[in-house]
Amino acid sequence: MDVTVRVRENMESVRRVLRVAGSVLSEQTIQSAAARLDEIEERLSACAGPLHVGLLGGTGVGKSTLINALAEDEISSASDRRPHTDRIVVYRHREQVWDDLESDLVIQPHRTHDRESIRNLVLYDLPDFDSIMEQNRERVLGFLGRLDVVCWVTTPEKYADQAFLDVLRRSPHHPGNFFFALNKTDLLIDGDGEPDESKIAAVVDDLRNNLKRWGVPEPEIYAMSALRALERRAGAGDFPRFRDTLFRARKDKEVRAIKLANVEQELQSVIREVRGTTPLRDLLKTLSGTEQRLEKDFEDIRTAGGLLAEVSLDHSTRSALRSLWLGREKHGGLVTGLLKGMMSFQTALRFRRQEGMGRLLFLDDDLMKGLVNKIETARNRAMASLARFPLPEGAWRGSTDAHELPQRLQGVRDDWTARIHAWASSGPPSGWRWRLRLLKNRVTLWAPLLLLVLYLMDPRLVQQFGGQPSIGLLFQMLSGVFFSLFQPKGIVALLSFLLMEAVLAGILARATLRSLDARIEQFCGLLLGRYKAEVGDLLGEYEQELKNTLMRLRQGAVELEGLQSEETMESSV
């Protein structure tokens, strides 16, 4: 893998870990590592500079054409140097950063271009060595030391020039670091006007032998036609290989700079600092055990919460629901009135833990305290299991205080109480069964009164009314019943009627109460399920908050453990 890509990928890995590992790493460690990564980023950017390529040669060897061929466009011309033939012309990308060194030797301003193909190359067209004045030759030779690559450009006519030997002897570059471009090979043609490979090979062999005699043991010679390469014609020779060599040299320069700047070593130091703060494997193992223990603790807590909900719907809640249910019936008659009186009498005589409608969904203080203690115990146990690890102070920040649980449970209870009261005030009970029961009760209670009236009526008047009914006769019959109530027979009949009404009212009240209790029991079953679910959801928030904390710790530890160690990175090179 490319060293720059590898370093940048590992830097991004470290940055990602720093973003998600705040639960495991201290703020100081995160800030320190982030600052060091920023420094590495600056050094890495500085290492990724362009390759500085100098083109050296005599007059008319085609350096400008070679520059244009590399750029795949006309960016250089012979007029760029006039009138300063003894100075250097610089060709660089317009976005390339430049330090103005030796400004008196370099023509200003530089020739800029926007060719992406050579964005990472800065090309230097050096003065023609066969025409440069002697006093400037030493300065140009000294300038070669600033270049990464020096390429001697020559032609079949000038490859044996003695001036080139002088450059080799006096150059600060080792002869082995020179590239040699034998340009204009298209001039060596055969009888058909095509490049003659045998002639080209002969010139290359002769040049190679000369270079070996001049101290270049293994010269890199590229026989090419820059003009044909620029015109994209066949016969460009070694130009593609020459161009690829320059681009490879630029990449090699970047790798050397990165290693020289100790970027990789510095990055490894950051990784060791980040990973070395916590024994990660031990932490992950402890987290697994803590999560399992927390699950068991909250199973017990959920069971206790369900018990609290069940106790809330005790006999007191059912009695309160009876009163509310009967209170909805505004015209329930004697039976309903009797039941309301009985409920009022019970409320007055029996001792209740909470009076009035406060009996609805009674919350047991002891059970609530037990829940708080269980949650706090589970939280403290989890914290204690991880106390030996150097976790940041805010690792457990955000966990809800369990001592707020009673107030939150009271809020759930108040909400449900308000719903029940809203239901109770919505009007009389609906449903045909309940209305049929009320009609049956009325008919049953009116039947003894009809029997009493028939018993006390004068049989003679009844017979006459049956033969010839009239309002006057009916009035006589009812008047007779009224006056009979004050006679011994009427008094006995009235007492019997009252006794019968009382018995029937008791029987009907008992039956109505059983029916009402059955409906209340069904209602409580539905209420218990929903109420228990809300209590469970409330307890689940505490459980989820603790689990989320452990999950953040696990995620941070996993990310830290996933950072490549120095040995792993080196083995991937």
Side-chain angles (χ1 to χ4, degrees):
M1 182 188 294
D2 182 88
V3 63
T4 307
V5 174
R6 184 177 72 247
V7 171
R8 291 192 181 278
E9 286 182 354
N10 286 314
M11 286 180 62
E12 182 56 33
S13 298
V14 178
R15 291 189 189 277
R16 185 182 66 252
V17 168
L18 295 181
R19 287 194 296 268
V20 301
S23 57
V24 180
L25 300 174
S26 67
E27 186 67 24
Q28 181 180 359
T29 300
I30 293 175
Q31 291 179 357
S32 173
R36 293 179 65 184
L37 286 176
D38 290 340
E39 294 177 1
I40 294 174
E41 181 69 38
E42 293 179 3
R43 292 163 64 179
L44 190 62
S45 299
C47 290
L51 183 75
H52 297 267
V53 181
L55 300 179
L56 194 63
T59 307
V61 296
K63 290 181 292 180
S64 295
T65 306
L66 181 56
I67 291 172
N68 293 333
L70 289 170
E72 299 177 345
D73 196 8
E74 298 275 351
I75 67 171
S76 173
S77 67
S79 62
D80 290 342
R81 189 181 303 283
R82 300 191 185 99
H84 306 287
T85 58
D86 59 346
R87 293 170 69 182
I88 301 170
V89 185
V90 178
Y91 299 91
R92 63 178 176 85
H93 195 276
R94 55 186 173 82
E95 295 181 1
Q96 197 65 257
V97 179
W98 173 262
D99 293 328
D100 264 335
L101 298 175
E102 297 289 339
S103 58
D104 61 333
L105 191 59
V106 175
I107 295 177
Q108 301 289 343
H110 305 153
R111 303 299 185 262
T112 59
H113 59 82
D114 57 2
R115 302 301 298 168
E116 289 298 318
S117 58
I118 56 171
R119 166 188 280 271
N120 293 320
L121 300 181
V122 177
L123 301 174
Y124 297 80
D125 186 355
L126 300 169
D128 299 334
F129 250 77
D130 52 4
S131 62
I132 190 173
M133 297 179 63
E134 184 62 30
Q135 60 267 27
N136 283 337
R137 182 170 297 186
E138 291 297 327
R139 298 183 65 200
V140 172
L141 285 172
F143 187 83
L144 297 182
R146 303 182 184 278
L147 304 177
D148 299 309
V149 174
V150 177
C151 177
W152 179 269
V153 184
T154 187
T155 64
E157 293 87 0
K158 295 191 174 184
Y159 71 89
D161 194 342
Q162 185 65 30
F164 173 55
L165 177 58
D166 294 338
V167 172
L168 280 179
R169 290 172 175 172
R170 297 159 63 183
S171 172
H173 279 260
H174 188 277
N177 292 335
F178 273 85
F179 290 170
F180 304 95
L182 181 64
N183 195 20
K184 297 187 178 183
T185 56
D186 54 321
L187 298 178
L188 301 175
I189 57 177
D190 56 18
D192 297 327
E194 295 298 324
D196 191 327
E197 296 297 333
S198 61
K199 293 180 180 179
I200 295 173
V203 173
V204 169
D205 287 342
D206 192 27
L207 176 59
R208 177 174 287 106
N209 292 330
N210 288 341
L211 291 173
K212 288 182 177 180
R213 287 197 308 272
W214 294 342
V216 184
E218 296 294 335
E220 280 281 345
I221 301 175
Y222 301 89
M224 67 180 75
S225 171
L227 180 61
R228 288 186 176 238
L230 176 63
E231 296 174 349
R232 293 180 173 81
R233 290 192 297 151
D238 293 336
F239 176 80
R241 189 165 63 90
F242 173 72
R243 180 188 56 208
D244 293 343
T245 301
L246 289 182
F247 292 154
R248 187 168 59 251
R250 188 263 171 186
K251 185 59 64 177
D252 291 341
K253 175 205 173 183
E254 183 178 7
V255 172
R256 287 194 304 272
I258 290 173
K259 292 183 177 179
L260 185 63
N262 293 321
V263 169
E264 284 190 289
Q265 289 79 357
E266 180 68 16
L267 179 58
Q268 285 301 322
S269 175
V270 174
I271 292 176
R272 286 193 297 271
E273 176 187 350
V274 172
R275 295 182 81 249
T277 56
T278 304
L280 299 175
R281 293 186 180 179
D282 195 11
L283 174 60
L284 288 171
K285 182 178 179 180
T286 303
L287 282 172
S288 297
T290 303
E291 289 167 344
Q292 294 175 3
R293 190 161 50 249
L294 188 66
E295 185 67 32
K296 293 180 180 179
D297 288 342
F298 268 91
E299 285 181 8
D300 184 31
I301 291 171
R302 286 191 291 270
T303 301
L307 178 61
L308 175 68
E310 292 173 4
V311 170
S312 298
L313 273 77
D314 63 355
H315 182 71
S316 298
T317 296
R318 286 166 170 76
S319 297
L321 288 173
R322 281 180 183 175
S323 299
L324 286 173
W325 200 290
L326 292 172
R328 296 180 65 192
E329 182 55 60
K330 307 300 181 183
H331 307 287
L334 178 62
V335 174
T336 304
L338 180 61
L339 289 175
K340 289 180 180 179
M342 289 172 56
M343 295 302 300
S344 299
F345 183 71
Q346 287 181 351
T347 301
L349 292 182
R350 292 188 179 182
F351 173 75
R352 299 295 178 192
R353 287 174 294 184
Q354 290 178 306
E355 295 301 327
M357 291 301 105
R359 294 177 293 160
L360 274 174
L361 303 179
F362 169 76
L363 290 175
D364 189 285
D365 290 337
D366 293 335
L367 288 179
M368 281 196 295
K369 291 178 181 177
L371 272 177
V372 172
N373 291 335
K374 288 178 182 293
I375 294 175
E376 284 295 309
T377 299
R379 183 175 185 271
N380 293 336
R381 187 179 297 167
M383 293 176 65
S385 66
L386 300 170
R388 59 193 177 91
F389 298 100
L391 301 178
E393 295 181 359
W396 296 94
R397 190 178 303 156
S399 299
T400 304
D401 187 359
H403 292 286
E404 299 176 358
L405 179 62
Q407 290 80 4
R408 301 183 71 185
L409 285 172
Q410 187 65 40
V412 174
R413 180 259 176 193
D414 292 344
D415 180 56
W416 271 101
T417 302
R419 295 186 205 178
I420 295 173
H421 279 289
W423 165 82
S425 60
S426 63
S430 59
W432 64 271
R433 285 190 177 87
W434 181 258
R435 296 188 181 280
L436 182 62
R437 179 172 293 278
L438 291 179
L439 178 61
K440 174 185 174 183
N441 290 346
R442 289 190 176 98
V443 171
T444 302
L445 292 175
W446 277 98
L449 179 60
L450 180 60
L451 293 176
L452 175 65
V453 171
L454 291 175
Y455 176 74
L456 294 178
M457 280 183 178
D458 187 348
R460 184 175 54 82
L461 293 176
V462 173
Q463 188 177 4
Q464 290 179 4
F465 183 80
Q468 189 177 2
S470 65
I471 294 178
L473 191 59
L474 179 60
F475 180 75
Q476 289 182 16
M477 292 168 57
L478 295 177
S479 298
V481 171
F482 176 75
F483 288 112
S484 295
L485 292 174
F486 300 100
Q487 298 176 5
K489 176 184 176 181
I491 294 173
V492 172
L494 181 60
L495 293 175
S496 299
F497 164 74
L498 293 175
L499 179 60
M500 186 180 299
E501 283 288 301
V503 172
L504 288 175
I507 293 173
L508 292 175
R510 187 174 183 83
T512 301
L513 189 59
R514 283 200 301 270
S515 175
L516 179 61
D517 285 345
R519 298 190 68 176
I520 288 175
E521 199 62 36
Q522 182 182 10
F523 176 81
C524 284
L526 296 174
L527 176 61
L528 177 60
R530 297 182 182 180
Y531 185 55
K532 186 184 290 187
E534 288 205 20
V535 172
D537 290 343
L538 180 59
L539 296 176
E541 292 180 16
Y542 290 89
E543 178 182 11
Q544 193 59 47
E545 286 174 356
L546 288 174
K547 285 184 175 180
N548 287 343
T549 298
L550 295 178
M551 183 174 65
R552 287 193 299 270
L553 291 172
R554 174 177 292 279
Q555 183 180 8
V558 168
E559 289 289 344
L560 280 177
E561 192 178 41
L563 281 178
Q564 286 184 305
S565 64
E566 184 175 9
E567 294 78 10
T568 305
M569 291 183 66
E570 289 177 352
S571 65
S572 66
V573 177

